[in-house]
Amino acid sequence: MSQRETWATRVGFILAAVGSAVGLGNVWQFPFQTGANGGAAFIVVYLLAVFLIGFPAMLAEFVIGRRAERNPIDAFARLGHRNWRVVGILGTLSAFWILAFYSVVGGWVIRYIIGSVRGAYFSGSEAYFGAVSAGPEAVAFHALFMAITVGIVAFGIAGGIERSTKLMVPSIVLLLGGLAIWATTLDGGGAGYAYYLSPDVDTLVSNIGSILPAAVGQAFFTLSLGMGAMITYASYLGRDDSLPIDGATIVVLNTFVGLLAGLVVFPILFSLGIEPGSGGLGAAFITLAGAFAQLPAGRLLGAVFFIVLLLAALSSAISLLEVVTSYLADNTSYSRPALATALGGAIFALGIPSAFGLSILAWYNAIAYNLLLPLSVLTLLVFVGWVDTGDAVAELRRGTGLSESGAVAWLWFVRTIVPLGVLVTLLLGLQTLAVDAGLLAEAIV
């Protein structure tokens, strides 16, 4: 085995981690989840979930990854807790599973960039989505997206992932910011800002049972938690970096981009009288594509939006592929390009069924949101909070001026409040999953 790679710069790590977090979850899922769960009422629960559950959980992944300097599976054995490797296996399987259907959606994005330039969906956005979202064409663009992802990961940590995210992340922010500024000029957009930024307490209270699992699941998805990504990226870190500062930077930047996406989407929808949350998993493609068709310079605006979506999708996809690639890179003598290609092919094959029907893709997504991610995060929190406590506290303080009492406070939060919130989310998610399974069975029959 060759010598293990590291990040070339600390900024490179932060941008790569932000890129992992700033994915389709921000620009594709976030506006849909917000629209489907009461607008600003969802935002309130989501922000609480990000900072009270997501941030402590991210630090838990960081302390494991940096101290072990290994992939998520081998990290637990390296720390002297071989029996806990199942936690790393669960995270790695989650990354494998998510990328399988995530790549299908990434293929849609490529198709829509082309469609924007040509104005192909202007005559009927719903019919266009139905034509390109399932079938042989969807499989072909799924393969193309996966091939691009493999190509980036094959070049390694510094040469591939770090170099590409240094370009992608600033581009996402700049392009999305430009669209948000343009959205302020739309007639009727003010109602969109009110819906998005003014929470309705009655909506929050009456729908908390459905809002909570959606918000926490969104927090996990958008922060790349429970997938092994943050363990993997932290394993390439230097020993003197401040994990709390890096983690806070990543969480704030990711949340900013997610909120920025909403400032683009909701003014557009309300200016054209389109109901938020309509369109399901295809909302960004049906609803927004239809909106671009009605706006001046719609081809240009559509192309810019879907380019942002593609950059976001790729920045997350490479982190998911790196999770599974890192395990074999740490344990075999095969070259990184060969490993990335083989694993990319396997992930592509797993995702093919989801390219033949939106109901199947929705089931893939529900498995990730409601089962894999909360279960993976919960088991990891139990390990850090109750098994690896002393070493976790020491690792968190390394490279910082954080007092021992501050680190212990984080540990207390990780072993009590955060797992409780995740457990409630998991139970509610399983209930949702049971309903979704019934709906999928009906759709197949």
Side-chain angles (χ1 to χ4, degrees):
M1 291 183 289
S2 59
Q3 184 177 355
R4 205 164 193 273
E5 296 183 83
T6 60
W7 300 107
T9 64
R10 184 177 180 181
V11 171
F13 159 69
I14 291 175
L15 288 179
V18 170
S20 176
V22 177
L24 285 175
N26 283 70
V27 190
W28 168 51
Q29 285 274 32
F30 181 69
F32 163 68
Q33 291 286 359
T34 303
N37 290 284
F42 174 83
I43 298 295
V44 171
V45 182
Y46 168 72
L47 291 176
L48 290 173
V50 164
F51 290 99
L52 298 181
I53 296 177
F55 178 52
M58 177 179 286
L59 293 182
E61 293 205 16
F62 280 175
V63 298
I64 292 174
R66 186 173 70 173
R67 190 156 64 88
E69 296 182 329
R70 284 294 179 274
N71 61 82
I73 296 176
D74 290 337
F76 294 89
R78 182 76 179 269
L79 298 179
H81 300 282
R82 190 173 187 82
N83 292 338
W84 284 84
R85 293 172 79 241
V86 64
V87 179
I89 292 172
L90 181 59
T92 303
L93 289 176
S94 298
F96 196 93
W97 177 269
I98 291 169
L99 184 52
F101 73 86
Y102 195 95
S103 178
V104 174
V105 181
W108 298 351
V109 178
I110 297 174
R111 189 68 184 85
Y112 266 78
I113 293 173
I114 299 171
S116 296
V117 174
R118 297 173 57 193
Y121 54 73
F122 279 28
S123 60
S125 61
E126 189 168 355
Y128 183 81
F129 178 76
V132 304
S133 63
E137 185 174 352
V139 173
F141 280 91
H142 165 40
L144 175 58
F145 181 86
M146 200 67 237
I148 298 171
T149 304
V150 167
I152 295 172
V153 173
F155 278 102
I157 301 303
I161 297 175
E162 183 172 348
R163 181 175 296 176
S164 62
T165 51
K166 281 183 175 179
L167 173 64
M168 290 180 191
V169 174
S171 298
I172 292 169
V173 175
L174 288 174
L175 292 174
L176 205 55
L179 287 173
I181 293 171
W182 164 80
T184 63
T185 66
L186 296 174
D187 292 334
Y193 293 120
Y195 176 83
Y196 183 52
L197 300 175
S198 300
D200 184 332
V201 176
D202 291 337
T203 299
L204 178 59
V205 173
S206 61
N207 296 287
I208 191 64
S210 59
I211 291 176
L212 180 61
V216 178
Q218 176 67 25
F220 292 158
F221 196 92
T222 191
L223 292 176
S224 293
L225 300 177
M227 314 173 191
M230 293 305 169
I231 293 178
T232 303
Y233 275 10
S235 73
Y236 302 118
L237 264 179
R239 305 294 288 179
D240 57 347
D241 291 341
S242 172
L243 296 181
I245 291 176
D246 289 355
T249 302
I250 293 163
V251 169
V252 169
L253 286 175
N254 171 72
T255 305
F256 170 74
V257 173
L259 294 175
L260 192 59
L263 293 176
V264 174
V265 172
F266 291 104
I268 292 176
L269 298 184
F270 275 82
S271 70
L272 297 171
I274 299 173
E275 180 183 356
S278 62
L281 291 176
F285 300 91
I286 299 173
T287 312
L288 285 174
F292 291 134
Q294 301 177 52
L295 293 170
R299 293 191 183 193
L300 175 61
L301 292 169
V304 171
F305 177 82
F306 288 111
I307 288 171
V308 171
L309 205 55
L310 177 62
L311 294 174
L314 284 171
S315 64
S316 287
I318 58 180
S319 71
L320 295 175
L321 182 57
E322 178 58 26
V323 170
V324 293
T325 301
S326 67
Y327 172 70
L328 293 181
D330 284 344
N331 290 279
T332 71
S333 58
Y334 292 105
S335 68
R336 173 174 279 271
L339 293 175
T341 301
L343 290 167
I347 292 170
F348 164 75
L350 177 62
I352 289 176
S354 65
F356 279 97
L358 196 60
S359 60
I360 299 175
L361 189 142
W363 180 73
Y364 273 57
N365 185 64
I367 289 286
Y369 252 79
N370 298 311
L371 175 61
L372 294 178
L373 296 185
L375 182 59
S376 178
V377 172
L378 181 61
T379 54
L380 185 138
L381 291 170
V382 171
F383 173 77
V384 172
W386 294 95
V387 178
D388 197 46
T389 55
D391 290 330
V393 166
E395 188 64 35
L396 184 68
R397 296 183 63 197
R398 189 188 304 274
T400 72
L402 185 66
S403 66
E404 184 172 358
S405 61
V408 170
W410 163 78
L411 181 65
W412 176 85
F413 214 71
V414 164
R415 63 166 37 175
T416 55
I417 303 299
V418 182
L420 181 61
V422 177
L423 179 60
V424 171
T425 301
L426 175 61
L427 294 176
L428 292 173
L430 290 174
Q431 183 180 5
T432 301
L433 194 59
V435 174
D436 289 344
L439 294 175
L440 176 64
E442 292 178 8
I444 293 176
V445 172

